[in-house]
């Protein structure tokens, strides 16, 4: 499908045309930008570097029911309902969109997670080019671009009073083919403008790290003292993994309330001791160093080994929000420099 | 539609208030059947968790009753309770829980009448307030 | 370079060289101009990494708790030398609470106390700098100018001033204890404590009706993602296993991050901080979802003060507020 242009003031009209979709868009709530179901188009914010929470929870909710059970009079088990509603995810940054492809690798791996897949299949993702990257963004170092269209159905670029709309998939066509009078054909000037904006955005991603070689170097550093040093100030909270668009670990627990209950899947984080503790009480990752190391290893060694992709999209959230200023880019740089290979 | 009947969970101390409730029964004082009683050895056993968990699991009101200060079987358990639960009450009010849903009363073994009155009053109040939804877990619908 | 910074370095160097401390905990330059970060150093050669600036917001007390939890390897003699630590007045009160609760013996810590008029909010600094056309890493040599009541920095050799009132952390505006009480050594001059409303943050909520308050908290508790950062940065949250994570013998709080369980978590934490929270504000600062946690803990502190004339971290000899009672305590239970 050809590219399109939509005027910004036509957005409310367009969104009202899409009433068969449940629309999720970035909202501002007390200074935090999060993706929420859009009830009022005026509450949507599009001027932000990136949302505090990545939109991964649309496909992989923080709390997801797997099944319910009831004991009376006989045992009744009912599986969780499939998320059948059509969803439109609006305003996703290209880095977050790439994260969906990374999560796909895991959730479609040896077992195809039907809840995740259903949500993925039902969702149309409209991306928004990143025009003013945050100073902690480093997407270009891990294969992304502020205007990357990987994982997206539609990519829009802000051209001031209008958006340049690039339709990438059939799913995307479904939402764009709606009333024609909303969309017009782009001119050469629009194309040129878009090119300039893309270029400018890319040049503004200043933080970078050469990830080539990190994978192999990590292999030598499993026993390194470096991790003791690095993890000394880590407080062991879950911010880095809960805010990470590619972190996908979960825990499965039962919520029991007498004669009924449910089994739920909830986000988990490898940064807390409870993540690995065995029923016996033994913990194979007893210290902060083991846990911090695991997170870096998982992203830059284990995941690439298994799926041939780095599990990091360079969104910079973990850097911005770490309470003690642990910086993954700095960590990678240091990893490359570490000299000693422990005895 | 049947009239709304609130669920009230009461934690009673073994030595005074539980005996007081017993006395209310033996003396045939009438009180509403909305109360479910959990016996604890001392009101000092009550952790704020018990109260919050009760609300979470669907209690509309929580009552805690123990010996009068000075009469504690363990001599000072209820003095600690008093501090802890006073502050808990303030906290619940701070997050918007109506104070009529959370009550602490001193009921001695001889105060069967008081026990019945407390239950009556609390049931009335909570009935007026309606079901407690703020804390309730979303999944367990009636 | 500020005088205080020099002194910190000097003391740290001396302590480390003489082997008087096991290691030294302080602040170092952070990932950008407006963020300092904690650093732990063993080698006296590294003391030049230590800084003192308006960005030293972290409460380092949390690492002392870590230290006390360390178990020596079998057959190894435990190193019980004290740990050196840089503290602001609020952090020092936190250490007092740890002493009071027998978590940290006095001889295991060497406290450098620094009278402090408040630290800068990194986000406010960044906004302020942006207004002047300066980026996140354009400014260096951040310093505190006590007499002029401002923070300063340098950008391309030019001095940049930040009016203190505009960039101060919210909690610092409400602080009435500028001077550390318990310390081994103090750096800097004593500061007159101000007369400000220390409970300003909860006034608005207190004036609301019950329904309004319920509504206010509803949206906030729903937003929580239970990343546990609030409890992990808190020096007072030192339990080996937190009650909200415990699964044996029963699970008190489900892992489900819904309003009900989130509220359970936050209220239990608020109860556990009564008379213990020293208002270092770390929980609120680190919360990625901007949950106004201080509005819970300040309320608790206010009640403890009003009912039992108790304020956290002022007197190490006093019993913790819930570990004691008075026969004539306020009784509203009849």
């Amino acid at each position: 499908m050809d590219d399109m242009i939509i005027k910004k003031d036509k957005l409310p009209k367009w969104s009202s045309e899409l009433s068969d979709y449940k629309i999720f868009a970035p909202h501002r709530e007390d200074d935090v930008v999060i993706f929420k179901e859009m009830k009022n188009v005026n509450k949507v914010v599009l001027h932000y570097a990136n949302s505090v929470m990545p939109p991964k929870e649309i496909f992989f909710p923080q709390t997801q029911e797997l099944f319910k059970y009831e004991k009376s009079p006989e045992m009744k088990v009912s599986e969780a309902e499939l998320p059948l509603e059509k969803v439109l995810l609006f305003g996703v940054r290209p880095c977050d969109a790439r994260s969906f492809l990374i999560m796909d690798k895991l959730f479609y791996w040896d077992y195809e997670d039907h809840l995740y897949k259903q949500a993925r299949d039902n969702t149309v993702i409209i991306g928004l080019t990143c025009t003013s990257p945050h100073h902690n963004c480093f997407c270009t170092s891990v294969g992304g671009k502020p205007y990357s269209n990987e994982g997206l159905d539609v990519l829009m670029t802000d051209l001031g009073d209008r958006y340049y709309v690039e339709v990438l998939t059939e799913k995307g066509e479904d939402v764009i083919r709606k009333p024609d009078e909303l969309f017009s054909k782009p001119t050469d000037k629009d194309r040129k403008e878009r090119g300039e904006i893309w270029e400018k955005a890319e040049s503004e991603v200043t933080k970078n790290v050469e990830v080539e070689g990190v994978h192999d170097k990590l292999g030598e550093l499993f026993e390194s003292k470096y991790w003791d040093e690095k993890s000394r100030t880590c407080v062991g909270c879950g911010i880095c993994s809960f805010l990470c668009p590619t972190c996908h670990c979960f825990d499965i627990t039962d919520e029991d309330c007498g004669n009924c209950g449910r089994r739920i899947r909830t986000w988990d984080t490898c940064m807390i001791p409870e993540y690995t503790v065995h029923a016996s009480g033994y913990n194979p990752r007893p210290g902060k160093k083991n846990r911090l190391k695991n997170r870096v290893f998982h992203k830059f060694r284990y995941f690439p080994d298994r799926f041939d992709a780095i599990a990091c999209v360079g969104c910079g959230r973990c850097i911005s929000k770490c309470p003690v200023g642990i910086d993954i880019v700095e960590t990678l740089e240091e990893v490359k420099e570490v000299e000693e290979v422990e005895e | 539609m049947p009239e709304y009947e609130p669920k009230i969970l009461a934690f009673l101390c073994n030595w005074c208030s539980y005996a007081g409730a017993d006395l209310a029964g033996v003396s045939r004082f009438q009180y509403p059947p909305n109360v479910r009683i959990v016996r604890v050895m001392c009101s000092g056993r009550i952790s704020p968790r018990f109260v919050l968990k009760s609300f979470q699991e669907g209690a509309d009101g929580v009552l805690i009753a123990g010996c009068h200060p000075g009469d504690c079987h363990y001599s000072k358990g209820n003095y600690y309770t008093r501090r802890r639960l006073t502050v808990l009450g303030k906290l619940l009010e701070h997050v918007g829980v109506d104070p009529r849903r959370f009550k602490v009363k001193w009921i001695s073994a001889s105060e069967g009448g008081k026990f019945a009155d407390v239950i009556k009053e609390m049931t009335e109040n909570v009935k007026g307030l309606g079901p407690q939804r703020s804390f309730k877990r979303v999944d367990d619908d009636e | 370079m500020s005088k205080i910074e020099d002194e910190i370095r000097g003391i740290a160097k001396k302590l480390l060289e003489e082997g008087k401390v096991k290691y030294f905990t302080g602040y170092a330059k952070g990932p950008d101009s407006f963020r300092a970060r904690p650093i732990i150093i063993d080698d006296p050669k590294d003391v030049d990494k230590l800084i003192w600036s308006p960005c030293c917001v972290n409460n380092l007390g949390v690492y002392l708790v870590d230290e006390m939890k360390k178990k020596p390897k079998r057959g190894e003699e435990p190193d019980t030398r004290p740990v050196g630590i840089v503290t602001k007045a609020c952090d020092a009160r936190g250490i007092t609470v740890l002493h009071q609760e027998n978590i940290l013996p006095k001889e295991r810590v060497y406290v450098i106390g620094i009278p402090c008029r408040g630290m800068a909010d990194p986000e406010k600094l960044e906004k302020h700098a942006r207004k002047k056309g300066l980026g996140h890493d354009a400014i260096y040599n951040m310093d505190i100018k006590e007499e002029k009541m401002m923070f300063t920095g340098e950008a391309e050799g030019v001095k940049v001033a930040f009016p203190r009132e505009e960039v101060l952390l919210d909690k610092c505006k409400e602080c009435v204890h500028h001077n550390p009480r318990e310390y081994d050594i103090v750096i800097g001059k004593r500061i007159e404590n101000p007369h400000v409303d220390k409970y300003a943050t909860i006034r608005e909520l207190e004036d609301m009706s019950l329904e309004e308050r319920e509504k206010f908290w509803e949206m906030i508790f729903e937003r929580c993602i239970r990343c546990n950062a609030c409890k992990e940065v808190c020096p007072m949250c030192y339990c080996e296993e937190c009650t909200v994570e415990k699964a044996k013998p029963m699970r008190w709080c489900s892992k489900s991050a819904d309003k009900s369980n989130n509220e359970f978590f936050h209220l239990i934490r608020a109860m556990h901080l009564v008379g213990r929270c020293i208002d270092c504000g770390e929980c609120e600062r680190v919360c990625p979802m901007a949950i106004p946690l201080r509005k819970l803990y300040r309320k608790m502190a206010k009640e403890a003060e009003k009912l039992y004339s108790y304020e956290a971290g002022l007197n190490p000899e006093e019993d913790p507020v819930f570990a004691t009672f008075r026969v004539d305590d306020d009784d509203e239970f009849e």
Side-chain angles (χ1 to χ4, degrees):
Chain A
M1 191 173 167
D2 292 334
D3 295 352
M4 297 284 186
I5 290 286
I6 184 170
K7 284 260 197 274
K8 273 189 181 168
D9 53 11
K10 297 234 174 89
L11 279 184
K13 178 93 188 15
W14 179 38
S15 74
S16 63
E17 295 290 340
L18 297 165
S19 56
D20 49 337
Y21 287 89
K22 206 166 152 182
I23 303 180
F24 283 86
H27 282 61
R28 193 183 294 278
E29 213 178 273
D30 299 344
D31 273 1
V32 284
V33 177
I34 44 178
F35 278 83
K36 264 191 133 177
E37 191 182 346
M38 182 183 78
K39 303 236 161 70
N40 180 351
V41 73
N42 296 323
K43 291 249 173 87
V44 174
V45 289
L46 295 171
H47 285 284
Y48 64 98
N50 210 342
S51 55
V52 171
M53 286 288 288
K56 70 173 173 184
E57 56 185 328
I58 309 292
F59 309 125
F60 173 42
Q62 177 156 22
T63 310
Q64 190 163 37
E65 187 177 295
L66 301 177
F67 63 76
K68 262 203 285 247
Y69 60 87
E70 218 176 306
K71 257 186 243 169
S72 50
E74 71 267 2
M75 195 66 171
K76 204 171 86 191
V77 178
S78 41
E79 266 198 51
E81 282 166 34
L82 282 174
L84 289 173
E85 279 163 307
K86 289 211 288 185
V87 173
L88 188 143
L89 194 49
F90 184 81
V92 176
R93 291 296 184 208
C95 53
D96 291 341
R98 288 186 68 235
S99 80
F100 302 146
L101 300 178
I102 290 169
M103 296 240 287
D104 285 352
K105 288 178 198 282
L106 180 98
F107 284 103
Y108 297 161
W109 182 35
D110 52 351
Y111 170 77
E112 193 177 82
D113 190 289
H114 64 290
L115 291 167
Y116 175 87
K117 184 165 194 304
Q118 190 69 46
R120 275 292 265 142
D121 289 349
N122 290 346
T123 306
V124 185
I125 306 165
I126 300 189
L128 198 58
T129 301
C130 201
T131 47
S132 50
H134 189 262
H135 59 78
N136 284 332
C137 291
F138 60 102
C139 59
T140 48
S141 303
V142 284
K145 291 261 187 289
Y147 50 85
S148 150
N149 58 22
E150 286 174 70
L152 286 169
D153 297 305
V154 175
L155 174 66
M156 307 202 345
T157 306
D158 191 339
L159 301 183
D161 61 339
R162 62 204 187 283
Y163 286 109
Y164 190 104
V165 183
E166 188 186 349
V167 186
L168 301 152
T169 63
E170 267 175 43
K171 264 205 261 176
E173 275 177 44
D174 276 349
V175 289
I176 299 300
R177 63 140 193 236
K178 302 279 170 174
D180 286 338
E181 74 271 13
L182 289 175
F183 297 93
S184 58
K185 294 252 172 280
T187 61
D188 283 344
K189 185 172 155 281
D190 293 330
R191 275 199 194 91
K192 192 165 154 275
E193 229 174 284
R194 181 179 75 153
E196 281 162 8
I197 285 173
W198 281 10
E199 220 169 282
K200 182 174 156 285
E202 193 173 353
S203 73
E204 278 177 23
V205 182
T206 46
K207 203 169 184 112
N208 65 70
V209 54
E210 180 56 67
V211 290
E212 192 68 48
V214 166
H215 171 273
D216 296 343
K217 185 66 192 275
L218 282 176
E220 301 165 16
L221 294 182
F222 194 81
E223 301 289 345
S224 171
K225 282 248 164 54
Y226 170 73
W227 303 108
D228 293 77
E229 204 44 51
K230 191 71 197 171
S231 64
R232 263 180 126 172
T233 56
C234 173
V235 289
C237 71
I239 287 185
C240 48
S241 33
F242 277 15
L243 298 190
C244 176
T246 66
C247 269
H248 47 248
C249 287
F250 55 79
D251 191 9
I252 293 181
T253 46
D254 284 357
E255 254 178 21
D256 187 60
C257 43
N259 282 326
C260 60
R262 59 177 195 155
R263 179 159 295 177
I264 51 168
R265 166 160 84 184
T266 47
W267 289 357
D268 205 352
T269 161
C270 57
M271 301 305 283
I272 59 169
E274 287 80 7
Y275 181 79
T276 39
V277 73
H278 293 182
S280 65
Y282 171 70
N283 195 341
R285 271 184 220 145
K288 286 189 298 192
K289 64 166 181 187
N290 312 75
R291 300 193 280 271
L292 185 83
K293 177 174 73 182
N294 177 70
R295 187 160 185 275
V296 178
F297 266 68
H298 189 202
K299 299 219 164 295
F300 295 93
R301 188 169 167 94
Y302 306 149
F303 204 88
D305 276 348
R306 188 162 284 158
F307 300 112
D308 203 21
I310 289 173
C312 173
V313 292
C315 69
R317 286 184 179 94
C318 57
I319 308 176
S320 302
K321 292 290 176 187
C322 178
V324 295
I326 293 176
D327 179 336
I328 184 83
V329 168
E330 197 182 81
T331 307
L332 295 178
E333 291 288 3
E334 285 164 6
V335 158
K336 289 194 293 184
E337 298 300 317
V338 178
E339 288 278 325
E340 37 91 58
V341 179
E342 269 315 297
E343 60 267 18
Chain B
M1 210 177 121
E3 202 187 346
Y4 157 69
E5 290 295 344
K7 283 184 210 141
I8 292 169
L9 193 65
F11 293 95
L12 307 183
C13 101
N14 179 56
W15 305 98
C16 291
S17 310
Y18 195 75
D22 208 20
L23 184 63
V26 174
S27 323
R28 298 179 178 256
F29 291 131
Q30 294 280 322
Y31 63 86
N34 301 57
V35 63
R36 276 85 163 157
I37 294 172
V38 178
R39 181 172 60 122
V40 290
M41 289 313 280
C42 176
S43 57
R45 173 71 183 94
I46 304 302
S47 151
R49 287 182 301 193
F50 294 8
V51 179
L52 297 179
K53 190 78 179 167
S54 313
F55 281 133
Q56 230 189 351
E57 299 293 332
D60 300 305
V62 177
L63 170 74
I64 289 148
C67 310
H68 285 266
D71 295 349
C72 180
H73 184 77
Y74 308 98
S75 70
K76 47 190 188 179
N78 53 5
Y79 284 121
Y80 292 110
T81 318
R82 186 167 65 181
R83 278 203 168 188
R84 208 181 306 135
L85 297 184
T86 306
V87 177
L88 177 64
K90 304 282 181 209
L91 176 62
L92 288 173
E93 246 187 283
H94 188 60
V95 295
V97 176
D98 196 294
R100 284 169 288 183
R101 292 191 189 278
F102 170 67
K103 282 273 169 236
V104 184
K105 294 279 176 190
W106 310 128
I107 299 171
S108 78
S110 61
E111 292 176 317
K114 184 177 179 186
F115 178 78
D117 291 342
V118 165
I119 300 296
K120 260 185 246 167
E121 188 199 332
M122 196 165 171
T123 309
E124 276 314 302
N125 282 341
V126 175
K127 203 179 256 183
L129 291 169
Q132 181 276 128
R133 292 218 170 78
S134 148
F135 260 101
K136 204 164 169 210
R137 286 213 318 238
V138 275
D139 55 311
D140 47 74
D141 27 24
E142 298 290 303
Chain C
M1 200 199 295
S2 77
K3 213 173 134 266
I4 292 179
E5 194 168 288
D6 276 342
E7 284 191 47
I8 294 174
R9 289 177 185 178
I11 294 166
K13 190 163 184 191
K14 189 153 168 283
L15 288 171
L16 287 167
E17 274 173 354
E18 291 172 2
K20 286 222 175 97
V21 294
K22 197 170 168 185
Y23 53 78
F24 193 87
T25 315
Y27 300 95
K29 201 189 155 307
D32 61 50
S33 293
F34 307 125
R35 266 160 264 256
R37 63 180 154 205
I39 187 173
I40 296 175
I41 51 179
D42 311 279
D43 192 341
K45 281 202 274 308
D46 288 336
V47 295
D48 287 345
K49 290 183 184 162
L50 292 169
I51 63 157
W52 181 250
S53 85
C55 311
C56 300
V57 290
N58 294 58
N59 182 346
L60 304 175
V62 67
Y63 301 115
L64 295 176
V65 176
D66 266 8
E67 170 64 24
M68 295 314 292
K69 280 187 185 169
K70 266 184 217 155
K71 291 180 192 92
K73 282 195 190 119
R74 203 174 298 169
E76 227 171 68
E77 198 56 40
D79 182 353
T80 53
R81 280 179 296 165
V83 170
I85 186 169
V86 180
T87 63
K88 306 183 286 292
C90 50
D91 309 343
R93 288 204 306 283
I95 293 173
T96 305
V97 178
L98 294 176
H99 291 329
Q100 219 178 340
E101 294 175 357
N102 293 328
I103 290 303
L104 176 73
K106 276 191 186 161
E107 63 276 11
R108 292 297 300 276
V109 60
Y110 187 95
V111 179
I112 299 183
I114 303 178
C116 154
R117 246 189 257 273
M119 289 287 151
D121 184 332
E123 268 154 43
K124 287 184 193 164
L125 280 177
E126 205 175 319
K127 262 183 212 156
H128 203 87
R130 211 181 300 135
K131 264 192 260 163
K132 293 185 167 152
L134 295 163
H136 64 282
D137 52 4
I139 297 173
Y140 45 92
N141 283 345
M142 291 290 287
D143 198 2
I144 304 170
K145 287 274 175 285
E146 283 297 348
E147 52 299 342
K148 287 184 187 143
M149 301 297 275
M150 61 169 69
F151 302 132
T152 59
E154 282 170 49
E156 290 155 9
V158 187
K159 275 247 185 296
V160 190
F162 299 91
R164 191 197 301 259
E165 283 310 307
E166 275 177 47
V167 292
L168 214 51
L169 280 162
D170 290 341
K171 58 125 182 176
C172 296
K173 287 183 186 161
E174 293 163 21
C175 170
V176 292
H177 301 291
H178 284 350
N179 302 288
R181 288 174 175 240
E182 301 275 313
Y183 48 78
D184 294 278
I185 190 166
V186 69
I187 305 180
K189 269 192 248 81
R190 206 188 141 75
I191 299 170
E192 194 65 33
N193 285 330
H195 294 282
V196 290
D197 179 5
K198 55 183 167 183
Y199 302 117
T201 184
I202 51 169
R203 297 286 176 207
E204 198 185 334
L205 261 169
E206 284 182 326
D207 291 338
M208 286 184 187
S209 70
L210 273 177
E211 291 74 33
E212 284 170 326
R213 281 206 291 267
E214 188 178 344
K215 227 175 150 225
F216 172 87
W217 287 109
E218 189 183 342
M219 190 177 87
I220 283 165
F221 288 138
E222 236 164 56
R223 200 160 68 209
C224 172
I225 55 167
R226 296 270 286 282
C227 64
N228 286 348
C230 46
K231 78 180 173 71
E232 297 298 347
V233 294
C234 181
M236 299 306 140
C237 260
Y238 52 65
C239 290
E240 279 287 346
E241 199 181 15
C242 178
T243 178
V244 299
E245 274 157 17
K246 246 193 174 110
K248 282 185 280 185
M250 72 168 284
R251 192 182 276 285
W252 281 100
C253 182
S254 162
K255 284 198 126 188
S256 156
D258 53 36
K259 194 242 169 195
S260 170
N261 286 299
N262 294 349
E263 187 162 357
F264 185 93
F265 165 56
H266 287 296
L267 297 194
I268 288 297
R269 212 175 105 76
M271 278 309 287
H272 288 180
L273 286 174
V274 180
R276 307 176 63 231
C277 173
I278 37 87
D279 200 26
C280 67
E282 280 289 273
C283 46
E284 197 171 293
R285 174 183 72 88
V286 303
C287 179
M289 304 311 274
I291 296 177
L293 291 161
R294 286 185 57 239
K295 288 195 199 308
L296 281 180
Y297 312 143
R298 282 278 83 191
K299 174 70 181 171
M300 295 289 87
K302 189 182 165 192
E303 293 302 335
E305 190 181 356
K306 201 170 82 188
L307 293 162
Y308 312 117
S309 326
Y310 185 94
E311 225 179 316
L314 295 188
N315 181 2
E317 308 306 327
E318 210 173 355
D319 283 326
V321 67
F322 281 165
T324 184
F325 63 86
R326 291 210 334 254
V327 173
D328 59 348
D329 271 341
D330 206 42
D331 193 336
E332 51 184 45
F333 296 147
E334 303 148 32

